Amino acid sequence: MEVQPVLWLYSLIQWVLDKLLSPTPPPPRATLGRPRIAVIGAGLTGVSSASHCVSHGFDVTIFEAGDEKSLGGIWSKVNNTSGLQIHSIMYRFHPSVKWSAGYPDRQQIVSQITQLWKKYGLHERTKFNTPVHSTRQDYLGRWIINDNPSLGFFDGILAAVGTCGDPKVPHMPNQEAFKGEIFHSSMLNGKTAAGKRVLIIGGGASAVEALEFTVHTDAASTSILARSDKWIIPRNAFVDGLLALNIFGQETILSWIPETLLKRLFYRDLKDLAPDSEGLFTETPMVNSDIFRQIRDHHAEWLRGDIVRFTEKGILFRHRSKGVPKGGPGREAEIRGDMVIMATGYQRPSLSFLPNEVFQEPYEPPRWYLQVFPPEHMSVCCNNCTYVNAIGTVGNYHIGIYTRLLLMFLVDPLARPQEYWMKRWIDMTSFLKARAPTGAFDFFTYSELLYWFLFCVAINPFRWKWAPFVFLGIGSALPKNIVSGEDQLRNGLGMKRTHHG
C-alpha cells in the first residue's frame, strides 16, 4: 500500500493535537457539577461546546428541536454530494476530530460530530424534539427553559442554532409555467442532472454546491444566474489563512494587493467576474477552485443579471453589464433549461427565545460583547449564530474559546464582565472600525477574532490565571482553586459572592 506523505503528516498533526488538547471525557453516567449549561441546538457548534463543558466537569443539557436525525445541524440536511469548501485543517471544531481527507464530504462531517457526541456521553444529556421558545431567569438568577422548571434550572445559556435554518424557497414570477423540474439546492439527494440543461438561481455558496451536483451527475450544461458578483478565493489553506491575517477586519489601504493578486493569478481571463465596487473584506467570499475550470471548459457559464420570469422552457433573464446595479437596465433573453436549482440559501434561525432586552438598540446582535455575549446577560453566549460575514471558519478553535470564556465568567466573580464595560468594548470596536464599508460587526477576519480574545483576557488581571484554560482548555483545576481562595478572602472581608445574570 502506497503511503501518501502529505496525508500521513496531516494525520500525525491531528494525532498530536488530539493527545495534547483533547479534554478527557467524563465517566459514563457521571454526576457533573455547576455551573449547569443549557445548550440550544445539537449541530456542530452545540455538540462541540457541550463536549468542552462536560469534559471540565460542568453539567449540560442539549435541547434540539428535531429528532436524532437532526444531530449535526445543517450538515444533517444538506446533500450527500456536499462537502467542505475550506480545507479541513481550518475546520477542526474539536481537538479530537480526525479528518481522513483535506475536503471531507457530508457523511464524514456528520460522522465526526456523532462520534464526538457519543465519546463525551452527550447522548445521555440531549433532549430531542424539544424546541426552545423562551428563556427567562427566576428570582435567584437561574435560567428556565420554555417557562418549564421540570426541564431544569441553568446557570448559563449557550445558544448554538447556527446561521442556516430551513431552506429559503422564494416563488418566482410565472414559476408554475415551467415544464421542467424545480428543486432547492438542499433537496438533490436521489436526483440526477444527467444530460440535462441546468439553470442555477443564485451566486453564493449554495450555487457552488449545486454546481458540484451537476458536475457529479454529468449535466449537459450548467448556467449560474447570479444577481451580483461575489469574490471567489481558491481552495487553498495557505491562501485562505493569509487572507484571514487581516487583523483590522475591514478594507484597508492595502486591500488592493490581495484583490489584484486574486484577479491576476486566480481569476486571470475571467477577472470580469470579480467585483469592482465591493472589496474583498466586506462579505464572505466563496471558496472554490473548480468553478473557473468548469467555465473555461465550457461546462458551465456565469451570467450576471436579474430574473424577469419563468417561461415554459426556461427563464427570461435580464443580462446586466458589469457595474450596473441590481434591477438596472439590460438585455433580456430566454435561457433554456430542463432543470432549475434554487440555490437561494437558508433562513437564519431566530434568537427570539432570548429575553427582549438583549435586542435593544444600539446593542442588538451582532453588536454584542465579543459579538456573542449580550451586555445585559453575560451568562448567555450565542456561539456561531450572530455573525454576518467573515473570512475564516465557523468550525474551528474559537468554539472552545467562547465556551470556556462563558465558563470562566460563570465560575469566577472577579473575571465577570460588567454590563457597562461590555458596552464600552462594543463602542470602542465601533469607533476603531468607523470607516469600514460594512458595520463594525458585520464583517471580521479570524485574526481579528483572536485579537478580541487576547484583549478580553489581558484587560482584566483576574482573568490571567484562566489564560491556559481559555485558550488551550488545560489547567481548569488551578484557577478554580484560586477562585475558591478568593471567595474565602472576600467572605472574610464581608463580601458575599452574588449570582450575576
Side-chain angles (χ1 to χ4, degrees):
M1 181 177 178
E2 183 180 355
V3 177
Q4 300 181 20
V6 175
L7 185 58
W8 180 85
L9 179 60
Y10 186 32
S11 299
L12 177 62
I13 292 172
Q14 294 186 97
W15 180 84
V16 171
L17 291 174
D18 180 23
K19 295 301 180 183
L20 290 179
L21 300 178
S22 287
T24 303
R29 293 177 292 278
T31 300
L32 302 178
R34 297 182 64 184
R36 190 179 183 202
I37 312 298
V39 177
I40 303 173
L44 176 151
T45 302
V47 171
S48 176
S49 299
S51 69
H52 285 291
C53 291
V54 299
S55 63
H56 295 298
F58 303 114
D59 196 10
V60 302
T61 299
I62 301 176
F63 296 93
E64 168 55 46
D67 57 20
E68 191 167 336
K69 293 180 181 178
S70 301
L71 183 66
I74 187 62
W75 285 112
S76 69
K77 303 175 183 178
V78 298
N79 305 302
N80 290 332
T81 55
S82 298
L84 275 186
Q85 296 299 321
I86 60 174
H87 195 280
S88 57
I89 199 169
M90 302 174 70
Y91 210 73
R92 296 192 50 77
F93 56 89
H94 191 273
S96 66
V97 168
K98 293 184 178 66
W99 300 117
S100 60
Y103 299 92
D105 59 19
R106 168 199 175 270
Q107 289 92 332
Q108 187 182 356
I109 296 170
V110 173
S111 173
Q112 287 292 310
I113 297 171
T114 304
Q115 288 179 38
L116 186 67
W117 181 67
K118 293 180 178 178
K119 178 179 179 179
Y120 284 86
L122 299 176
H123 55 288
E124 303 171 355
R125 294 178 165 83
T126 303
K127 294 183 181 295
F128 290 107
N129 301 306
T130 310
V132 174
H133 304 295
S134 67
T135 56
R136 69 171 178 85
Q137 288 180 296
D138 64 10
Y139 70 99
L140 294 176
R142 300 174 301 182
W143 288 99
I144 299 174
I145 304 297
N146 290 342
D147 209 23
N148 184 359
S150 67
L151 293 175
F153 297 94
F154 300 92
D155 302 287
I157 300 289
L158 204 153
V161 296
T163 60
C164 296
D166 294 330
K168 189 186 300 180
V169 188
H171 185 273
M172 302 287 184
N174 206 37
Q175 182 174 320
E176 59 280 353
F178 182 57
K179 300 299 183 183
E181 302 171 295
I182 301 177
F183 304 105
H184 188 267
S185 59
S186 64
M187 304 173 183
L188 299 175
N189 283 340
K191 309 296 190 301
T192 180
K196 298 177 182 178
R197 299 166 298 175
V198 181
L199 309 180
I200 299 176
I201 297 177
S206 295
V208 171
E209 291 191 357
L211 177 62
E212 290 177 344
F213 161 78
T214 64
V215 171
H216 182 75
T217 56
D218 298 319
S221 65
T222 303
S223 300
I224 300 174
L225 313 181
R227 295 193 66 197
S228 60
D229 298 323
K230 289 179 68 73
W231 280 101
I232 303 173
I233 60 178
R235 257 184 162 189
N236 184 295
F238 179 73
V239 173
D240 301 348
L242 283 178
L243 294 176
L245 287 177
N246 176 2
I247 197 171
F248 300 102
Q250 60 180 310
E251 287 287 292
T252 69
I253 58 174
L254 299 178
S255 296
W256 65 271
I257 297 177
E259 292 168 4
T260 301
L261 289 174
L262 282 172
K263 290 179 180 179
R264 291 186 178 181
L265 302 179
F266 185 53
Y267 282 81
R268 303 198 309 272
D269 55 310
L270 298 174
K271 61 183 179 181
D272 179 66
L273 299 180
D276 279 341
S277 58
E278 301 292 335
L280 178 60
F281 299 99
T282 58
E283 190 177 8
T284 304
M286 298 193 315
V287 184
N288 192 274
S289 296
D290 191 54
I291 187 169
F292 290 150
R293 182 173 64 84
Q294 296 298 328
I295 294 174
R296 292 186 180 104
D297 291 344
H298 305 290
H299 296 313
E301 61 178 348
W302 185 288
L303 304 176
R304 178 194 307 112
D306 302 293
I307 293 172
V308 179
R309 65 177 181 274
F310 273 77
T311 66
E312 286 189 4
K313 298 181 178 180
I315 290 176
L316 184 62
F317 190 72
R318 182 182 298 119
H319 298 263
R320 282 187 278 106
S321 298
K322 192 176 183 67
V324 178
K326 299 175 185 178
R331 174 181 59 85
E332 293 185 5
E334 184 183 39
I335 312 296
R336 295 195 170 186
D338 308 300
M339 174 188 287
V340 171
I341 299 177
M342 308 281 257
T344 45
Y346 300 85
Q347 300 176 22
R348 179 179 283 268
S350 174
L351 291 172
S352 60
F353 53 80
L354 295 176
N356 291 332
E357 59 266 24
V358 305
F359 300 103
Q360 300 299 315
E361 295 183 358
Y363 302 105
E364 74 282 12
R367 287 174 52 82
W368 284 350
Y369 183 61
L370 305 181
Q371 204 180 54
V372 302
F373 295 97
E376 296 82 2
H377 294 285
M378 66 84 207
S379 58
V380 173
C381 174
C382 294
N383 205 341
N384 267 352
C385 50
T386 56
Y387 77 93
V388 181
N389 288 289
I391 289 183
T393 168
V394 298
N396 208 355
Y397 186 52
H398 66 282
I399 296 176
I401 294 181
Y402 272 135
T403 303
R404 292 187 293 269
L405 282 172
L406 174 64
L407 295 176
M408 177 183 72
F409 294 162
L410 293 174
V411 168
D412 190 349
L414 297 178
R416 290 174 186 163
Q418 300 300 313
E419 178 179 345
Y420 175 84
W421 292 111
M422 295 169 83
K423 290 181 176 179
R424 298 295 76 77
W425 179 88
I426 297 169
D427 295 339
M428 178 191 72
T429 303
S430 299
F431 174 78
L432 292 175
K433 299 181 70 173
R435 294 190 177 184
T438 62
F441 294 90
D442 292 345
F443 181 91
F444 65 91
T445 62
Y446 212 74
S447 58
E448 181 186 15
L449 185 64
L450 295 179
Y451 154 71
W452 291 352
F453 293 149
L454 289 170
F455 180 88
C456 172
V457 174
I459 196 67
N460 184 341
F462 290 104
R463 296 174 186 164
W464 295 355
K465 60 183 176 292
W466 288 95
F469 173 73
V470 168
F471 293 114
L472 299 174
I474 59 177
S476 60
L478 176 61
K480 282 199 288 187
N481 289 336
I482 295 177
V483 169
S484 177
E486 290 173 346
D487 284 346
Q488 294 179 14
L489 176 62
R490 285 156 56 86
N491 292 334
L493 295 175
M495 300 168 59
K496 292 184 178 180
R497 178 173 176 172
T498 59
H499 190 289
H500 289 265

